[in-house]
Amino acid sequence: MSKWISSVWPGRPYPRGANWDGEGVNFAIFSEHAEKVELCLFDSKGQREVQRIELKECTNLIWHCYLPEARPGLLYGFRVYGPYRPAEGHRFNPNKLLIEPYAKDIVGTPLWSDAHFGYRIGSKRGDLSFDRRDNARGMPKCRVIDQAFTWGNDRPPDIRWHDMVIYELHVKGFTMQHPDIPPEFRGTYAGLTMEPAIEHLKQLGITTVELMPVHAFLDDRHLIERGLRNYWGYNSISFMAPDSRYSASGHVSEFKTMVKTLHSADIEVILDVVYNHTAEGNHLGPTLSFRGIDNIAYYRLVDNDSRYYMDYTGCGNTLDMRHSRVLQLIMDSLRYWVQEMHVDGFRFDLASALARELHEVNQLGTFFDTIRQDPVLSTIKLIAEPWDLGEGGYQVGNFPLGWAEWNDKYRDSVRAYWKGDGGLIGELARRLTGSSDLYEHNGRRPHASINFLSAHDGFTLHDLVTYNSKHNEANLEDNRDGNDNNHSWNCGVEGETDDPEINTLRARQKRNLLATLLFSQGVPMLLAGDEMGRTQHGNNNAYCQDNEISWLSWDLKPQDKELLEFTKRVIALRKAHPLFRRSYFFHGKPIRGGEVKDIVWLNPDGFEMSEEDWNQAFSRCLGVYLAGDSLVETDGRGRRLHDDNLLLLINAHHEDIAFMLPEFDGHHYWDVLLDTCDAVGQPKVLRYKAGEGYPVGGRALVLLKQGEPK
């Protein structure tokens, strides 16, 4: 082995990771129980280990050294020595090359073999056995980077919460089949910077993209062996490095260019982050990073049986947020993505797992306190997936001030209502108005509710109205995976059909759902492709489908183009009417001493809903009057906002209903803004008189504004 690093200095314990300072590289790695740590350097292709350097300095449990001759581009990994006693929680194995937790770039993907496991696969002793094979040739390598980047005058768009329209997208899937993006850039960070991608987002009216996981992640061995991939990416192995498979150039700077370009288009970037577990799985999983660096420190182990892992995530392990160094890693990661990569916020996968201290979810715990006092993280957008798979993990409505939440109660209630289930108009009313029953109790506002009807996990909007049951056979799990409770309705036939009546109904149902989403208080989130009829052919758990099942199709049929135009229309209406973007909850009280309330619920006869009306199980039709004068919101310069008086008519009954148009404040006319009976929402008659019955179609939604006499 030719040694090409001739000088090793003590270095510093901070900052953690490999950091180029313009003269050399400082390496620092935490391990509380290690007995010895070696830094392994590799050739430029990562195939041959050329040098090992023992880190002889250890300060406050941080092992460190400085290499004045090292430069950006250097490939490296670590070997950590210590006891291998799984029954006591220790799983050190220096035969395994390890990914460093603070690595900012990772090259390659694992070539799966039994050598990646700390124990001998097939041994009668299972994970209590010890494997002596070296796995370095098949391991990804960490790479030292130069973090310099020309940000110029980049600034966060700083979209106000109530003005946001979120678009959940997969970096690869969004552009992989886009005909107007050069093939070499499809499916990459660079692809998202191309004019066709930006133009689609801008024309649609999107303010914020929420990127599915881009932290470096691994494809599970069992998926690779079955010819599948971990497409979604909820399988992180690094919390600093952007996944290189989405990079056309192979450089971290490509991600920064993507963020800067989106910012220039006034589009925010939110990352879906997975800090609750890692790709190392349970006690029978591989040794790739954290497990081999210090298993006891990084993971939550079962009390009184440290061989096994606490699994609040369904993925085999849970990171131990109670440990100060683990908490520091997560906070350093979050700050890195904000300060160095300029992202605007985060959506936390299975966020309840991050708040578990002893066993129960503690919303006043260390994780939240640490974020709340942080001068960087307390100012960005924080969104929780407010549940995990452990006991007491469902925490919708319980996250603290400063947090928004994915509101699955909204999803399920609106789906069930338009499916035709009875007895839901009271529940629908709560969800339409921002779910005050969930968020007002601790001082939060309507924007705490991230409203969505479809997301990466579950049916797409098109499949929601096309399938009663999941069809996940392509996942090769005998259709056992995925949720069976989808609140979906196929409109009479399972799957695609040539029946024009069924297709007409399905198209209208999609318009109903989209209009409901965009006209609700709170923050709307669209799943990429829902605006143009994207289908996964009934697969509601396409986590392993890195193919046309998951990728967006840009080959639009006429009905897809109509849906796209409709979606643009309803987003534009939301933006044009601040009544749909209130910062405060409605209270059903008269406005400033007047007679008309800020919100009035109406029955089809045009009268205010009575207690009896609310309790009728058969009722599926509802009117909502929103008073424009009720707005107390102001613009960025403190000027009070104004709006028209609006009337929303919602009918999930299968028959037409003549809804009596009310008269308020002496206004005698109603102008129709949208009717979902039309393919693009354009009403046939534009003006009606108060006191007339508006013919609300069966399974349809209508939006009107109070008009002045002509």
Side-chain angles (χ1 to χ4, degrees):
M1 182 183 295
S2 59
K3 294 187 177 181
W4 57 281
I5 293 292
S6 61
S7 182
V8 180
W9 298 354
R12 304 180 307 277
Y14 193 83
R16 304 246 297 271
N19 290 276
W20 161 250
D21 63 9
E23 297 181 26
V25 180
N26 191 80
F27 293 87
I29 182 172
F30 160 76
S31 182
E32 183 174 348
H33 300 97
E35 297 170 353
K36 175 182 172 183
V37 175
E38 290 178 337
L39 171 64
C40 303
L41 308 181
F42 290 82
D43 64 16
S44 61
K45 295 183 179 180
Q47 295 297 308
R48 186 168 62 91
E49 184 178 325
V50 296
Q51 189 171 357
R52 290 191 192 184
I53 298 170
E54 182 179 350
L55 276 63
K56 296 183 178 180
E57 299 291 332
C58 184
T59 305
N60 298 328
L61 306 178
I62 307 292
W63 302 73
H64 52 93
C65 74
Y66 183 86
L67 305 183
E69 298 166 313
R71 295 293 181 266
L74 175 67
L75 301 182
Y76 70 96
F78 283 93
R79 299 180 189 272
V80 182
Y81 296 73
Y84 187 84
R85 294 192 292 268
E88 299 175 17
H90 294 299
R91 294 179 179 268
F92 294 100
N93 189 333
N95 300 295
K96 311 305 171 186
L97 186 74
L98 303 173
I99 294 172
E100 187 257 311
Y102 278 74
K104 297 178 179 66
D105 193 16
I106 294 177
V107 179
T109 58
L111 301 175
W112 282 110
S113 72
D114 291 353
H116 290 307
F117 294 77
Y119 63 97
R120 294 193 306 276
I121 299 288
S123 169
K124 293 181 180 180
R125 300 185 65 229
D127 62 303
L128 298 178
S129 61
F130 185 78
D131 188 89
R132 300 184 183 279
R133 286 172 291 186
D134 193 298
N135 72 331
R137 285 187 64 86
M139 273 294 290
K141 309 302 187 296
C142 308
R143 181 163 60 186
V144 178
I145 67 169
D146 183 349
Q147 295 181 195
F149 182 77
T150 304
W151 284 105
N153 60 353
D154 178 70
R155 291 184 178 182
D158 196 23
I159 309 296
R160 294 184 298 181
W161 275 102
H162 55 271
D163 291 330
M164 291 169 61
V165 178
I166 300 176
Y167 191 77
E168 187 196 28
L169 68 82
H170 189 285
V171 170
K172 182 175 184 179
F174 185 64
T175 61
M176 194 62 191
Q177 298 189 98
H178 202 300
D180 297 328
I181 290 179
E184 63 269 27
F185 297 121
R186 293 175 189 168
T188 67
Y189 306 121
L192 273 176
T193 71
M194 300 288 163
E195 184 177 351
I198 300 290
E199 184 179 9
H200 179 79
L201 297 172
K202 293 298 290 182
Q203 289 184 354
L204 192 56
I206 300 304
T207 69
T208 308
V209 292
E210 183 177 299
L211 304 183
M212 289 177 64
V214 296
H215 288 173
F217 66 93
L218 302 183
D219 293 316
D220 312 71
R221 184 183 188 181
H222 69 92
L223 292 178
I224 294 294
E225 291 174 346
R226 286 153 46 195
L228 301 172
R229 294 287 188 272
N230 191 316
Y231 173 69
W232 286 353
Y234 292 90
N235 203 36
S236 301
I237 197 61
S238 171
F239 301 129
M240 301 281 190
D243 198 279
S244 59
R245 284 169 287 188
Y246 302 149
S247 176
S249 64
H251 299 297
V252 172
S253 60
E254 184 178 324
F255 183 93
K256 297 180 179 181
T257 300
M258 177 197 70
V259 173
K260 188 174 187 295
T261 304
L262 288 166
H263 281 180
S264 294
D266 290 323
I267 297 173
E268 294 179 312
V269 179
I270 288 178
L271 301 187
D272 192 338
V273 290
V274 186
Y275 292 121
N276 53 75
H277 73 280
T278 76
E280 292 185 299
N282 64 14
H283 63 290
L284 298 177
T287 296
L288 307 169
S289 179
F290 308 93
R291 174 175 284 138
I293 294 171
D294 199 329
N295 187 61
I296 288 180
Y298 278 107
Y299 291 116
R300 292 198 66 164
L301 306 180
V302 174
D303 293 340
N304 303 318
D305 196 350
S306 296
R307 178 182 177 184
Y308 301 104
Y309 296 80
M310 295 296 295
D311 183 11
Y312 296 112
T313 66
C315 300
N317 64 59
T318 305
L319 281 174
D320 192 352
M321 300 296 292
R322 303 170 302 177
H323 196 291
S324 61
R325 291 300 187 184
V326 179
L327 183 62
Q328 181 187 27
L329 167 64
I330 304 308
M331 296 302 150
D332 287 347
S333 168
L334 291 170
R335 279 189 293 268
Y336 175 77
W337 287 97
V338 174
Q339 295 179 305
E340 185 63 32
M341 309 296 248
H342 285 210
V343 304
D344 304 288
F346 303 96
R347 178 264 189 189
F348 293 81
D349 178 67
L350 300 180
S352 292
L354 304 176
R356 291 185 182 272
E357 297 207 336
L358 295 175
H359 175 68
E360 297 179 349
V361 178
N362 183 359
Q363 304 301 350
L364 301 176
T366 304
F367 173 72
F368 295 107
D369 285 344
T370 304
I371 285 183
R372 188 179 294 116
Q373 60 78 41
D374 189 281
V376 174
L377 303 180
S378 61
T379 64
I380 61 169
K381 293 187 167 79
L382 304 170
I383 302 172
E385 182 182 37
W387 51 78
D388 64 17
L389 301 188
E391 181 181 352
Y394 187 77
Q395 293 291 322
V396 172
N398 292 331
F399 273 66
L401 282 167
W403 285 76
E405 303 174 13
W406 272 27
N407 187 351
D408 68 331
K409 288 182 181 291
Y410 179 94
R411 176 198 64 196
D412 294 346
S413 299
V414 174
R415 282 185 176 191
Y417 171 78
W418 282 113
K419 175 174 170 278
D421 292 354
L424 288 175
I425 57 171
E427 177 68 9
L428 177 70
R430 285 187 286 271
R431 304 306 152 228
L432 283 173
T433 53
S435 298
S436 61
D437 58 319
L438 299 176
Y439 304 114
E440 193 173 22
H441 67 92
N442 66 352
R444 287 191 286 173
R445 297 183 182 181
H447 67 245
S449 179
I450 305 297
N451 300 328
F452 66 104
L453 294 169
S454 52
H456 64 273
D457 52 344
F459 280 143
T460 66
L461 181 67
H462 178 82
D463 291 354
L464 186 65
V465 301
T466 307
Y467 298 92
N468 282 351
S469 305
K470 65 186 183 185
H471 296 268
N472 298 354
E473 289 80 8
N475 297 353
L476 305 181
E477 298 180 40
D478 297 324
N479 205 33
R480 295 188 304 269
D481 62 304
N483 196 338
D484 291 311
N485 185 26
N486 296 289
H487 300 287
S488 62
W489 178 47
N490 63 20
C491 299
V493 172
E494 186 73 357
E496 302 297 337
T497 179
D498 294 328
D499 187 313
E501 290 188 9
I502 289 178
N503 285 331
T504 296
L505 176 57
R506 287 175 175 175
R508 187 160 71 249
Q509 286 287 77
K510 285 187 279 187
R511 294 193 293 271
N512 291 334
L513 288 159
L514 284 168
T516 304
L517 176 65
L518 272 303
F519 296 157
S520 296
Q521 304 299 318
V523 180
M525 184 184 79
L526 284 171
L527 172 64
D530 275 355
E531 73 278 13
M532 47 194 187
R534 173 178 166 244
T535 179
Q536 292 180 170
H537 309 292
N539 192 324
N540 75 348
N541 189 37
Y543 75 101
C544 56
Q545 301 298 329
D546 188 3
N547 50 48
E548 290 83 356
I549 291 176
S550 298
W551 303 340
L552 269 67
S553 171
W554 297 90
D555 183 15
L556 304 186
K557 301 173 184 176
Q559 61 267 31
D560 301 329
K561 294 179 181 178
E562 289 175 341
L563 184 62
L564 178 57
E565 291 306 310
F566 176 85
T567 308
K568 293 177 182 178
R569 184 183 179 95
V570 291
I571 292 177
L573 282 168
R574 178 182 178 86
K575 291 188 173 185
H577 291 282
L579 270 176
F580 295 130
R581 299 177 283 110
R582 287 172 55 103
S583 300
Y584 300 92
F585 290 108
F586 291 104
H587 288 104
K589 296 179 180 179
I591 306 166
R592 288 179 285 279
E595 295 182 359
V596 179
K597 301 176 182 178
D598 56 359
I599 184 169
V600 182
W601 302 96
L602 302 169
N603 63 26
D605 293 327
F607 296 113
E608 188 167 359
M609 292 277 288
S610 66
E611 191 69 26
E612 182 181 358
D613 291 328
W614 286 114
N615 293 325
Q616 288 178 343
F618 62 82
S619 181
R620 289 169 175 78
C621 186
L622 185 66
V624 191
Y625 172 83
L626 307 177
D629 285 342
S630 68
L631 288 170
V632 296
E633 287 79 5
T634 61
D635 65 13
R637 295 179 177 238
R639 295 169 295 201
R640 187 174 157 223
L641 298 175
H642 299 276
D643 202 353
D644 302 299
N645 298 325
L646 300 177
L647 181 62
L648 193 61
L649 307 180
I650 308 172
N651 179 25
H653 189 53
H654 64 276
E655 295 180 336
D656 294 359
I657 290 179
F659 202 109
M660 195 62 62
L661 298 178
E663 179 180 321
F664 290 108
D665 290 339
H667 290 77
H668 303 294
Y669 295 94
W670 288 97
D671 296 328
V672 188
L673 300 177
L674 183 103
D675 190 328
T676 61
C677 284
D678 183 79
V680 295
Q682 181 64 46
K684 294 181 174 60
V685 180
L686 297 178
R687 171 160 281 205
Y688 285 79
K689 286 184 179 181
E692 285 187 289
Y694 186 94
V696 183
R699 298 191 176 96
L701 178 150
V702 179
L703 176 66
L704 309 96
K705 73 172 183 178
Q706 214 160 34
E708 299 292 338
K710 293 184 179 179

